[in-house]
Amino acid sequence: MVRSPEADIPITVARALRFIQASGSVSVAARSLGISQPAISKGIAQLEERLGTQLLRRGGRPILLTEEGTALAEYAERADLVQEQVLRKLDDARNNREGSVRLGSFGSSASFHILPKTLAAFARAYPGINVEIREYPDIELRQALEEDFVDLAVLSLGSDDGLDVIEIANDKLVALVSPDHPLTGRNTLQAEDLVEYPFIMTKGGSGPLVEEWFMKTGHTPRVAHTILQVNSIIALVEANLGVSVIAELALPDTPGKCKVLPLVPDAPRSIGFARKEETPRSAAAARFWSFCQKFSA
């Protein structure tokens, strides 16, 4: 879009017109703005020539504005109001009185055991900053972080090139069996034990880790059900409709009547906050990251 020469209005001249409108005096306007009276008179004359219209009704006292001059005075008032609002918003952000953070999460492990305490503590420290949780499957979460749909994320650490990370928890896979299942009496379970029975595969954040664990052991589970929600997995296991493997931190504090058994070999993972190695989107996002660093420590 090509801008006309008249498009750029010198805000100092517009402000001078606003003061002249209020006081009827160029000298009062000059004192209010802290500049010389000749500078104001010259600026108004130059703007009149550029716009091809009179801004002042000269020849009388007090000095009055033309309709065009009044329009510019109103423009200055609106511009100053917008500037005041913007500066107030920036000051609120700088002093942590307002702002928003988009926090990505990969599901139950974070929702049950990690985020509640962190978010509650952050809300107490910075009540004006809103944290919005957005849940994604693990693979989609990394893409959401890369494409700036979230400011930072809680995820399973691993391929973290190009990311700042804060390690916050260690997790591992565990097996779930029903109370009366033949495997209930075991102290540990191996992949070869589980592949004999219908298997309930999680679609949650630990799904890729479960698949990798079976692959490393050289066994393939007999997947009978593929379920996203942890509570649904627990219900199916309790009903003896299959066995399952999920991340331990994904379990609720009371995992129903399921028997939770360790795996051999074990399958550990590290969970942490992650963000891209660049300037944060906002002061609020930077503040939340700094808080997480201290809170995790």
Side-chain angles (χ1 to χ4, degrees), residues 16 19-31 37 40 61-63:
F19 283 112
I20 293 171
Q21 182 183 46
S23 65
S25 168
V26 175
S27 60
V28 171
R31 287 196 298 272
Q37 181 175 336
I40 287 181
R61 293 289 184 273
I63 299 176

Side-chain angles (χ1 to χ4, degrees), residues 101-104 132 134 136 140-141 143-152 276 281:
V101 180
R102 302 165 305 178
L103 174 60
E132 176 194 355
R134 301 181 179 183
Y136 298 86
E140 293 181 19
L141 177 56
Q143 184 176 354
L145 184 60
E146 179 62 31
E147 297 179 359
D148 289 325
F149 289 116
V150 295
D151 299 308
L152 66 159
K276 292 198 294 185
R281 176 184 63 93

Side-chain angles (χ1 to χ4, degrees), residues 27 46 64 93 103 146 149 168 178 181 239 247 284:
S27 60
Q46 289 176 337
L64 301 176
L103 174 60
E146 179 62 31
F149 289 116
I168 52 179
S178 67
H181 195 278

